[in-house]
Amino acid sequence: MGDCFLKKEPSKEGCSQLLVKLTKDQKSISRVACVNPPSLMPAVWDISSIIRKEKIDFLSVLPGFSLSPACEDLHQEKEWGLFLDFLRKHKRVAIAKLGLYELYLLPPDADSKFGCATVLYQVNEPKLSPSQKCDGSRIVAAEISSPPGYLAGEASMSNSDLIEDRISAKHRYPEVIGDYSCDLKAIGSNRLGKSVGPNRSSERNYVMTHPSYLKTLGHAHSSWIFGAIAELVDNSRDAKATKLEVTISMIYSKTASKDIPMLSVIDDGHGMSHTDIIKMVSFGRRHPETDDQDHIGRYGIGFKTGAMRLGKDALVLTQTANSRSIAFLSQSLNEGRDNVEIPIVSYRRTGQYMEVDASVHNEDSAKYNLKIIKKFSPFDKYLIGEKAGIFNAEGTGTQIYIWNLDEWGSTYSLQWEAGMTGGSSFHQGGIFIRSRRIRSRPGQISQMVPLDYSLKSYLEVIFLDPRMKIYVQGALVKSRPLAKSLNNTVVENGCVLGKPVQLTLGLSQLEWEQANCGMFLYWHGRLIEAYKRVGSMIHNGDCGRGIIGVIDVTDLMDDSNGEVWVHNNKQGFQDCEAYAELERWLGEKADEYLDKYVDKIQLRKGNVKYKPDHEWVQCDKCRKWRMLSSDFDSKTLPLEWFCFMKPFNGRCEMPEEEVERGLITISTKRHGYNTKDPTESRNRPPEQASSELEGISDEDTPNERKENDVQLSHKRRRRRLTRSCKKKKN
């Protein structure tokens, strides 16, 4: 919210005079003139309550000033007179609470001058909770000096919300944002805590937010830039979006005088109201009181940390059924300033049109904020209109555009490929981390971890139960629910610190080929840690190759006292007792699985393939998973498949089948099982290692398998006899 305090102007009588707008329930009553008011008085007074005068016994000790009609408008003069007559007739006092100011508007006496009233006031100390006192970064304390030339009545301020700038478009001033009802402008005559009026007991110090803090926010994802994109994906999922598009394209920048890349994240969720977008750009907020298993957002900083890691500037365009808002979070705009300004423009649907929402700002303020957005961004009114058209007539959703992307030397940290329209799966586009570096994990030896540098690979497994359709560079991401993608599946139930946990363990052909293994830990259905090695996997790089575990630890990591043991960047867990006990339990179960299913497997020369019992395919409309018959060739499926197609030949309304043991999804197979030549794989182990493997090919008949087993046992016996004979000779 901008500075909503008016500059005192001398009246003809030589007194200090101030023009204000008096409202009740956000409806205008009249404009009035204040004579000798205290400093920094807000420009709009909203009457919050009207009570009987005898119930207030301390009015006689309060300082005051007078009010009188401010204009010659007969209608407003009439409304002002009716309002005063009501107060006088019923012996009532009107109360307006403006931040720390509490005003008491008294009706005139019978013999007083017509139209004049008395206002008594006091300055109260703010009642802040401990979290509000400590969480000072949520509020950006603005400069408290009055903007020059600001006339009364030009602003429309609600004292319960700190919103955006409300002064004339020709002025520039800092902005305060936040989501609790404390008007910082009424605290003192400067941001270091000088007192207001005669009551010096109200002195308080409040934290400013320097623009450099925007860059600091991005450091939350400094080790892995995909974590920043995941924050934006989480917001779309929380908004119940059914479709999400992530794209990097080129756009002309007026500032740079050239085309620059811009990242866009567009969803069809329920959108955000003006109040919601205020919370979105605020620096943190109170944890949600209710624990929603399907809701990921918790800390109130995801958008800021994600956007500021990806680039310097971000624009949000969001629409609900009844409103539309534009917000601009920018390092470029705030460069060289002492405080953070976040321009916001909100509109309200009126019939078939969107008009400036006068309940949150006036038209001058909206024009000023829109002018700033167009000056410091690649967007003009035509491009904004074009993007707003994506919502359709009554559509909802949110669009996020980020530019001045993070740099990697002389280029950008992200690398993107546009792909070919209508091309095969081999010509689809993608977004990658340019360095292609593998994230550090204990016991990790494989250098083939696409999840670490390919956005599509990461988004394939980001959700435990994927339902939202996600597109990267226009190509549909084929979800890969890991719990359905395993062979020799085992479900282990246990108890950690008195809380039930369930682990799904199995073998993955794709991960075996890439020499990967480990646990995938989900929280609220969102992937937090991937390929976490436990037990003997940590000490032997090749131990457990191809073994994948899937577990949701929401109940374990959400403390009953409201504590959450998840890092605020959602890329790891805090070092706590629950996490340590979980590691121990996972290690025990992984080693038991190794002993039972892996160490007893007999291998022979040739390619190993964990053949699935069944395959699954996901409908691109209802997002339900359908089991394919065992004799169906999954390679004949189109890239987009629906329930009415072969071999299901059903309807989307039909219920989803339950998961059974030893199942693997078709989406995994679409990502390229190499079952012919092991040397064709990008990360195939050395031939020497493959030549030492002996096993049973899936192409062998049962009789051939028995013969191979017998031959293998005979070979082992001969080897043992040979070794024993050599020892005797020695």
Side-chain angles (χ1 to χ4, degrees):
M1 186 178 78
D3 292 332
C4 295
F5 303 94
L6 305 188
K7 184 177 180 181
K8 296 180 182 178
E9 298 178 356
S11 64
K12 294 179 180 179
E13 291 80 8
C15 299
S16 179
Q17 181 173 285
L18 181 73
L19 301 180
V20 299
K21 182 179 181 181
L22 192 67
T23 65
K24 178 70 170 72
D25 298 328
Q26 304 297 326
K27 296 180 180 179
S28 177
I29 297 176
S30 175
R31 290 186 181 180
V32 293
C34 307
V35 180
N36 292 327
S39 60
L40 303 171
M41 183 62 63
V44 179
W45 299 358
D46 189 59
I47 304 299
S48 59
S49 61
I50 299 177
I51 63 176
R52 299 188 67 85
K53 185 176 180 180
E54 60 265 21
K55 291 186 177 182
I56 308 176
D57 56 2
F58 53 85
L59 293 179
S60 59
V61 299
L62 297 181
F65 54 93
S66 61
L67 290 181
S68 60
C71 61
E72 298 179 357
D73 189 318
L74 296 180
H75 174 73
Q76 290 198 29
E77 226 176 90
K78 180 181 178 182
E79 291 294 326
W80 172 243
L82 291 174
F83 179 69
L84 293 182
D85 286 342
F86 171 83
L87 296 179
R88 179 167 48 194
K89 180 179 179 181
H90 298 279
K91 298 180 180 180
R92 301 296 177 97
V93 175
I95 301 177
K97 296 181 180 180
L98 310 176
L100 300 184
Y101 276 117
E102 191 164 328
L103 307 180
Y104 302 90
L105 198 156
L106 279 64
D109 297 330
D111 56 349
S112 63
K113 184 179 178 181
F114 175 77
C116 292
T118 301
V119 177
L120 306 180
Y121 68 93
Q122 65 176 351
V123 181
N124 299 322
E125 295 186 6
K127 297 180 180 179
L128 302 180
S129 65
S131 61
Q132 289 173 330
K133 292 177 182 178
C134 297
D135 196 8
S137 296
R138 296 176 58 205
I139 303 299
V140 185
E143 296 286 349
I144 309 215
S145 57
S146 301
Y150 182 33
L151 301 178
E154 289 187 350
S156 175
M157 182 190 71
S158 168
N159 64 334
S160 61
D161 289 314
L162 299 179
I163 316 175
E164 66 268 21
D165 300 328
R166 289 180 172 81
I167 66 170
S168 176
K170 64 182 179 179
H171 301 305
R172 244 179 126 109
Y173 47 88
E175 179 169 322
V176 173
I177 59 173
D179 62 343
Y180 69 81
S181 58
C182 175
D183 191 345
L184 295 181
K185 301 294 191 318
I187 292 173
S189 59
N190 70 35
R191 60 176 175 268
L192 297 179
K194 293 183 180 179
S195 62
V196 175
N199 187 0
R200 296 193 58 84
S201 64
S202 64
E203 291 186 6
R204 291 293 184 272
N205 293 329
Y206 288 85
V207 177
M208 289 184 60
T209 299
H210 193 272
S212 62
Y213 182 63
L214 296 178
K215 185 176 182 179
T216 303
L217 286 170
H219 293 171
H221 301 285
S222 58
S223 61
W224 196 49
I225 197 170
F226 280 171
I229 297 180
E231 295 282 11
L232 308 183
V233 176
D234 291 344
N235 290 344
S236 297
R237 182 174 180 265
D238 288 346
K240 310 301 181 185
T242 61
K243 181 181 178 182
L244 173 69
E245 299 179 74
V246 183
T247 308
I248 297 181
S249 57
M250 304 301 291
I251 189 171
Y252 182 76
S253 169
K254 303 183 292 291
T255 305
S257 300
K258 63 177 182 180
D259 288 341
I260 60 173
M262 182 171 68
L263 172 71
S264 62
V265 180
I266 303 174
D267 68 49
D268 63 350
H270 51 57
M272 291 179 286
S273 64
H274 178 83
T275 302
D276 293 331
I277 205 165
I278 287 294
K279 294 179 180 179
M280 182 181 185
V281 299
S282 300
F283 297 106
R285 64 172 180 267
R286 184 170 25 182
H287 289 182
E289 296 179 357
T290 58
D291 187 17
D292 186 353
Q293 292 287 331
D294 297 326
H295 194 83
I296 304 171
R298 191 171 187 89
Y299 300 100
I301 60 173
F303 165 71
K304 279 80 64 180
T305 60
M308 294 297 96
R309 172 66 176 93
L310 293 164
K312 292 183 178 180
D313 308 288
L315 183 136
V316 182
L317 177 61
T318 184
Q319 180 168 303
T320 67
N322 301 311
S323 67
R324 178 185 299 161
S325 295
I326 306 172
F328 185 37
L329 183 66
S330 171
Q331 295 182 40
S332 300
L333 167 63
N334 291 285
E335 187 174 355
R337 297 190 178 190
D338 294 329
N339 215 334
V340 175
E341 177 183 1
I342 305 179
I344 300 176
V345 183
S346 291
Y347 302 87
R348 183 168 52 188
R349 184 180 296 278
T350 304
Q352 299 296 320
Y353 302 96
M354 288 284 186
E355 297 181 351
V356 172
D357 190 348
S359 67
V360 296
H361 51 49
N362 62 13
E363 192 167 347
D364 280 346
S365 175
K367 288 180 179 179
Y368 165 75
N369 288 331
L370 202 57
K371 180 180 179 180
I372 292 298
I373 292 172
K374 291 187 289 186
K375 179 179 179 180
F376 288 90
S377 76
F379 289 82
D380 54 24
K381 63 179 181 180
Y382 302 106
L383 185 56
I384 293 176
E386 177 185 328
K387 299 302 183 184
I390 297 176
F391 294 128
N392 299 322
E394 298 181 357
T396 62
T398 299
Q399 305 174 30
I400 299 176
Y401 299 95
I402 303 172
W403 61 97
N404 288 329
L405 300 180
D406 184 68
E407 297 179 349
W408 181 268
S410 59
T411 183
Y412 298 98
S413 297
L414 294 176
Q415 182 180 2
W416 58 96
E417 298 174 2
M420 295 177 59
T421 304
S424 66
S425 59
F426 298 102
H427 297 91
Q428 294 181 355
I431 297 176
F432 308 91
I433 296 178
R434 187 173 297 276
S435 66
R436 297 293 205 281
R437 291 192 298 174
I438 305 302
R439 302 178 72 186
S440 176
R441 300 179 182 91
Q444 177 85 35
I445 61 171
S446 171
Q447 294 300 306
M448 180 65 171
V449 190
L451 180 149
D452 285 351
Y453 53 81
S454 169
L455 184 60
K456 288 176 68 175
S457 296
Y458 175 48
L459 296 180
E460 287 171 5
V461 297
I462 189 173
F463 296 127
L464 184 62
D465 184 22
R467 300 292 173 180
M468 183 170 58
K469 296 176 70 172
I470 304 178
Y471 294 82
V472 175
Q473 294 296 95
L476 178 64
V477 175
K478 291 296 181 181
S479 300
R480 185 161 63 100
L482 292 173
K484 294 182 179 181
S485 305
L486 304 174
N487 178 266
N488 281 338
T489 306
V490 173
V491 178
E492 295 282 357
N493 292 288
C495 191
V496 177
L497 295 182
K499 296 184 178 180
V501 290
Q502 186 179 82
L503 171 66
T504 303
L505 273 170
L507 296 163
S508 170
Q509 172 69 19
L510 180 62
E511 303 300 346
W512 189 94
E513 291 180 355
Q514 297 174 349
N516 292 321
C517 66
M519 304 293 159
F520 282 66
L521 278 62
Y522 289 82
W523 174 77
H524 284 265
R526 173 19 169 105
L527 180 63
I528 303 298
E529 273 194 79
Y531 300 115
K532 178 176 179 57
R533 290 174 175 251
V534 294
S536 57
M537 296 179 183
I538 300 176
H539 310 293
N540 187 339
D542 202 40
C543 181
R545 175 174 171 174
I547 295 179
I548 294 297
V550 181
I551 183 172
D552 191 300
V553 296
T554 302
D555 293 336
L556 183 61
M557 292 301 167
D558 285 1
D559 195 288
S560 58
N561 297 324
E563 184 70 37
V564 178
W565 302 109
V566 179
H567 289 313
N568 57 19
N569 63 5
K570 304 186 189 76
Q571 295 301 320
F573 296 94
Q574 299 181 34
D575 186 17
C576 60
E577 182 185 10
Y579 189 56
E581 289 299 312
L582 176 66
E583 283 184 320
R584 181 190 59 78
W585 185 82
L586 291 174
E588 291 176 357
K589 297 305 175 183
D591 289 343
E592 290 175 8
Y593 186 88
L594 284 167
D595 294 338
K596 186 175 181 180
Y597 293 97
V598 178
D599 291 347
K600 293 184 178 180
I601 294 178
Q602 296 178 350
L603 305 177
R604 74 175 182 87
K605 294 179 181 178
N607 183 46
V608 178
K609 179 181 178 183
Y610 300 116
K611 187 176 180 179
D613 298 326
H614 297 86
E615 292 178 330
W616 295 70
V617 63
Q618 189 177 30
C619 174
D620 285 313
K621 180 181 180 182
C622 67
R623 309 303 289 167
K624 294 178 181 177
W625 292 90
R626 307 300 186 185
M627 184 187 296
L628 302 178
S629 57
S630 57
D631 58 345
F632 186 81
D633 185 5
S634 59
K635 295 180 181 178
T636 62
L637 289 173
L639 289 176
E640 290 192 358
W641 184 88
F642 303 93
C643 290
F644 66 84
M645 295 182 174
K646 295 181 179 180
F648 188 67
N649 296 324
R651 302 187 310 274
C652 289
E653 294 78 14
M654 298 177 67
E656 194 174 57
E657 296 180 81
E658 295 294 329
V659 181
E660 298 179 5
R661 287 170 56 98
L663 303 180
I664 191 166
T665 56
I666 183 62
S667 59
T668 302
K669 195 166 185 178
R670 287 183 185 174
H671 284 81
Y673 284 167
N674 189 351
T675 60
K676 294 183 180 181
D677 184 4
T679 60
E680 294 178 2
S681 176
R682 289 177 56 189
N683 194 50
R684 182 63 56 191
E687 252 339 286
Q688 294 81 357
S690 331
S691 64
E692 293 175 3
L693 298 176
E694 296 180 345
I696 301 174
S697 171
D698 62 289
E699 298 174 357
D700 293 339
T701 63
N703 291 333
E704 290 174 338
R705 293 177 182 175
K706 291 180 180 178
E707 293 175 4
N708 288 330
D709 288 344
V710 173
Q711 293 174 3
L712 182 60
S713 62
H714 286 324
K715 288 180 180 179
R716 289 178 174 172
R717 289 173 188 166
R718 287 197 296 270
R719 289 173 183 169
R720 287 197 293 269
L721 290 172
T722 304
R723 292 170 184 165
S724 61
C725 291
K726 289 181 178 179
K727 290 180 180 179
K728 289 180 180 179
K729 290 180 181 180
N730 294 334

